[in-house]
Amino acid sequence: CDDGIRLVLLMHKLALMRLSGNTQLQPLVEEKILSEQEADQLRNVPDRFFLADHWLHRRLTHHHVLGGLVVAAPVFSRTFQVLSEAHMFFNQARKVRETPFPFPYAQLLWLMLHLDSIAIAFVSSAYVTNPIGCAVLVFAVVMALFSVNQTAMELEAPFSGGPNAIPLLAMDDEFVRQLMTLSSSVRLSSLQSSGAGLGDVECEVKSERNLLHDAPSFSEGDLPFTISALRVQGSFACVN
């Protein structure tokens, strides 16, 4: 089960790395999310997320065949459907990031904006006789046009890492916390089913609570993905 959680975390990390343009696998190896052998395999493939997805499918199937996943067949097949949907949404996000804005269209917009800036000045001076009023009108109209264009440029790159981009760090931290909670509940169930003493169970609960409680908070400028992500900052290590 821990290996399945590790592969889920690996898929998540690789997806965010692809969207943010990061290709370094060594940090994942140092956090024990990835082994050296797996890192060597991932370095030689163009789509790392696809390979990690394949590893997870193979691991789930192996556990199910051995009886490690005692669930009904419809429920188990739903797992593969959810993973397939995750791969589909990842490819859609890749299209947004990797498909460039048409270059001729961008150049045409740049040319038309500057021509409009000159034309608006001449047209406004013909209808507005007050120099101050004409200058204010020209400035407001030109500023509005360039502001709309600049806003569109910001929206074109939602994964750029800037202040107006999607907060990938907050999304990553929240997802890791969810996996940590899941892994904690699995370990507690294992301890209870194995007949561990009450002291061992209480120690496990206390350690997990301390780990989640000691995480620092986001500042107001970090723009977290959800409210719960306000309580987290930084990256967590592998779920062991």
Side-chain angles (χ1 to χ4, degrees):
C1 182
D2 284 349
D3 192 48
I5 295 177
R6 181 187 68 85
L7 290 175
V8 172
L9 180 59
L10 176 61
M11 286 179 55
H12 174 74
K13 294 285 187 179
L14 291 176
L16 294 186
M17 288 173 59
R18 180 67 179 264
L19 295 178
S20 61
N22 183 14
T23 60
Q24 298 298 323
L25 294 175
Q26 190 58 35
L28 299 181
V29 176
E30 295 174 355
E31 294 179 357
K32 302 186 188 310
I33 301 176
L34 192 64
S35 66
E36 289 289 353
Q37 294 77 11
E38 292 172 338
D40 292 337
Q41 296 182 48
L42 289 174
R43 291 188 182 98
N44 298 323
V45 296
D47 193 345
R48 297 172 176 177
F49 181 86
F50 176 80
L51 182 57
D53 186 37
H54 168 70
W55 289 342
L56 180 58
H57 277 73
R58 187 174 59 184
R59 179 65 63 183
L60 290 174
T61 305
H62 179 71
H63 278 298
H64 184 68
V65 171
L66 295 180
L69 297 175
V70 187
V71 295
V75 178
F76 186 66
S77 63
R78 175 66 178 171
T79 303
F80 291 100
Q81 181 179 349
V82 172
L83 291 175
S84 176
E85 292 175 354
H87 203 162
M88 178 187 66
F89 291 134
F90 168 69
N91 286 330
Q92 291 178 354
R94 281 184 54 194
K95 292 178 183 178
V96 174
R97 184 190 182 279
E98 299 177 5
T99 303
F101 194 79
F103 182 75
Y105 191 25
Q107 298 305 302
L108 180 61
L109 287 176
W110 182 90
L111 177 62
M112 296 303 296
L113 282 173
H114 287 77
L115 290 178
D116 285 343
S117 301
I118 300 174
I120 289 172
F122 284 102
V123 173
S124 299
S125 62
Y127 289 93
V128 181
T129 57
N130 189 336
I132 297 179
C134 180
V136 172
L137 178 62
V138 171
F139 175 80
V141 174
V142 172
M143 176 64 69
L145 292 175
F146 276 89
S147 297
V148 172
N149 182 64
Q150 188 65 31
T151 302
M153 292 173 61
E154 291 290 333
L155 295 177
E156 291 167 14
F159 306 109
S160 61
N164 297 319
I166 295 177
L168 297 179
L169 175 62
M171 296 171 63
D172 179 41
D173 288 332
E174 184 177 14
F175 185 76
V176 171
R177 284 172 64 88
Q178 293 172 351
L179 287 183
M180 291 173 64
T181 303
L182 176 61
S183 178
S184 173
S185 63
V186 170
R187 287 200 297 268
L188 291 176
S189 299
S190 300
L191 286 174
Q192 293 172 350
S193 62
S194 62
L198 181 60
D200 295 334
V201 177
E202 290 179 349
C203 181
E204 183 72 18
V205 173
K206 184 177 180 180
S207 62
E208 291 294 334
R209 287 178 178 175
N210 291 337
L211 182 60
L212 296 178
H213 178 72
D214 293 339
S217 301
F218 277 106
S219 64
E220 294 181 356
D222 283 325
L223 298 176
F225 181 63
T226 62
I227 297 300
S228 60
L230 281 168
R231 304 184 182 92
V232 194
Q233 190 175 28
S235 59
F236 287 90
C238 166
V239 180
N240 293 319

